[in-house]
């Protein structure tokens, strides 16, 4: 026969292991210092400034992408 185990203890141990995995992921995602968060925010802002500086004249930063028209008068891109 096999080893006798307490099912309640085994279930609780499994839950603790799974919670530990989630906790490790949260520590990696959210466990950063204020200086690290500020540095990352500055890097993102610098990248956005570089992209905005390379923007061609007449382009809008709508985020819709090329070829996306504006709905006017119920017809896409008719302009009237």
């Amino acid at each position: 026969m096999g080893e006798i185990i307490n099912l309640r203890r085994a279930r609780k141990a499994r839950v603790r292991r799974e919670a530990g995995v989630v906790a490790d992921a949260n520590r990696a995602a959210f466990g950063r210092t204020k200086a690290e968060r500020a540095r990352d925010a500055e890097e993102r802002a610098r990248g956005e400034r570089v992209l905005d500086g390379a923007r061609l004249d007449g382009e809008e930063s709508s985020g819709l992408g090329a070829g996306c028209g504006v709905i006017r008068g119920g017809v896409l891109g008719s302009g009237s």
Side-chain angles (χ1 to χ4, degrees):
M1 231 161 81
E3 181 182 339
I4 298 174
I5 61 170
N6 185 323
L7 294 178
R8 178 182 50 82
R9 285 186 184 167
R11 184 176 56 245
K12 286 185 177 185
R14 186 192 67 210
V15 168
R16 278 190 214 105
R17 278 193 309 272
E18 291 171 357
V21 170
V22 172
D24 288 339
N26 284 341
R27 277 188 218 104
F30 301 109
R32 301 182 313 156
T33 65
K34 189 174 184 177
E36 290 172 330
R37 290 191 306 265
R39 183 194 64 221
D40 290 345
E42 179 58 34
E43 287 176 7
R44 277 193 304 276
R46 186 176 318 128
E48 289 175 7
R49 285 192 304 269
V50 168
L51 286 177
D52 286 343
R55 187 175 308 279
L56 298 176
D57 291 336
E59 282 190 37
E60 295 180 18
S61 61
S62 65
L64 296 175
C68 292
V70 176
I71 297 177
R72 294 185 183 121
V75 178
L76 180 63
S78 68
S80 52

